[in-house]
Amino acid sequence: MDITASIVSHGHGTQVEGLLAQLAQTGGHRPRRVIVTLNLPEPGLTVRLRARDWPFDLDVTENAAPAGFGTNHNRAFERDGRHGASALFAVLNPDLRWRAEPWGAMAAVLETDPRAGAVYPVQLDAAGRRQDHERLLPTPARLLARHVLRRPAEVGEGQRPDWVNAAFLLLRRTAYAGIHGFDEGFHMYCEDVDLCLRLQLAGWRLARADGAVVEHAAQRASRREARHLLWHARSLLRLWRSPAWRAWRSGPTRIPDSSASP
């Protein structure tokens, strides 16, 4: 398939190898190129990956210094362009797994809905429970409800999310390029919120592929580590000052479902 997938490892070598093995076992529905960015030194991983014969073009790049989530994926996007760009660009977390390949169902959504700029799968946790990867615009009140009042569910049945997490996104290259990818001012956290809002404000739609189901082992490090909590707080402040957040809160331009009646 005309897809380039970007995977960033922050010392997650074992998970990266497992994900690549799954991609290799996938039939005709798989990316033609995979770009793995090592954000931290993993010399043993580099040697192992480059020594194997993969059924896709594997590009392993090592950062001289760690970069943020969005920066790494933006660099992979640019790298893909220099080597012959794919029509679709996928952002993948290393901690993803699936029982049935998700690519065909996700690509089909983009083929049938020309207004869909990004498609995402259904995400389950290790116990098979549906994760809350579809969210509404983060506001102080919603964060209070989620983390203090313990009311995590935000998107009701049949309700459209304002954003989805970027553990697995398949985007049109034109859509990603049109909004200049991720905002690199976010080191970690909230860059997926910002990306989804800007995509929709630019006239694209977020679409869920119900036929694609993946398992995502969400780390939620900001609940355990002070450094991550600080990054999360800084990212929220940046998001709340952003033009995209303010524009969406004042009255988002929602793109209707292609299946909706006129």
Side-chain angles (χ1 to χ4, degrees):
M1 302 182 76
D2 195 20
I3 299 172
T4 291
S6 173
I7 303 169
V8 179
S9 176
H10 305 272
H12 301 114
T14 301
Q15 292 179 323
V16 169
E17 289 183 280
L19 180 55
L20 289 175
Q22 275 220 310
L23 287 169
Q25 293 165 6
T26 302
H29 292 146
R30 66 169 165 243
R32 70 181 184 92
R33 175 179 297 135
V34 180
I35 300 175
V36 175
T37 302
L38 305 184
N39 205 35
L40 298 174
E42 297 178 76
L45 177 62
T46 302
V47 171
R48 291 194 302 274
L49 294 184
R50 289 176 174 167
R52 287 190 57 178
D53 184 21
W54 300 97
F56 41 74
D57 175 18
L58 180 66
D59 184 336
V60 181
T61 180
E62 302 169 282
N63 285 346
F69 177 92
T71 300
N72 279 315
H73 287 298
N74 284 351
R75 288 176 181 171
F77 183 80
E78 294 166 1
R79 193 175 183 87
D80 180 53
R82 291 193 299 268
H83 291 73
S86 298
L88 304 177
F89 182 72
V91 172
L92 297 177
N93 272 20
D95 56 355
L96 287 169
R97 297 294 181 269
W98 51 77
R99 294 182 181 177
E101 68 86 8
W103 301 98
M106 294 175 72
V109 171
L110 294 176
E111 290 173 2
T112 57
D113 185 355
R115 289 175 295 189
V119 62
Y120 59 95
V122 175
Q123 289 184 26
L124 306 178
D125 63 16
R129 297 170 299 213
R130 192 157 177 159
Q131 294 193 343
D132 60 336
H133 59 294
E134 299 172 299
R135 306 274 186 90
L136 298 179
L137 185 74
T139 63
R142 286 197 179 112
L143 291 176
L144 175 67
R146 169 176 289 274
H147 298 292
V148 178
L149 303 180
R150 302 298 181 185
R151 299 173 184 168
E154 296 180 354
V155 180
E157 186 67 29
Q159 187 179 10
R160 293 278 302 281
D162 293 329
W163 67 281
V164 296
N165 71 29
F168 192 168
L169 289 176
L170 181 62
L171 304 109
R172 296 186 195 275
R173 183 174 186 84
T174 51
Y176 193 91
I179 63 167
H180 307 291
F182 287 102
D183 179 348
E184 297 181 11
F186 294 96
H187 178 76
M188 190 178 294
Y189 303 110
C190 297
E191 59 274 282
D192 43 9
V193 186
D194 175 75
L195 181 86
C196 289
L197 297 183
R198 288 187 293 112
L199 270 174
Q200 294 173 97
L201 290 168
W204 296 101
R205 195 172 73 83
L206 303 177
R208 186 180 66 218
D210 290 320
V213 181
V214 301
E215 179 184 313
H216 175 222
Q219 300 299 311
R220 307 193 188 281
S222 64
R223 300 182 185 179
R224 305 187 309 272
E225 301 178 25
R227 179 181 58 170
H228 284 262
L229 179 60
L230 179 60
W231 284 341
H232 205 162
R234 287 177 176 173
S235 292
L236 279 168
L237 291 176
R238 180 179 179 84
L239 178 70
W240 289 336
R241 292 195 299 262
S242 72
W245 187 88
R246 293 175 180 176
W248 193 261
R249 192 181 190 193
S250 66
T253 302
R254 294 186 179 276
I255 309 303
D257 292 330
S258 58
S259 59
S261 301

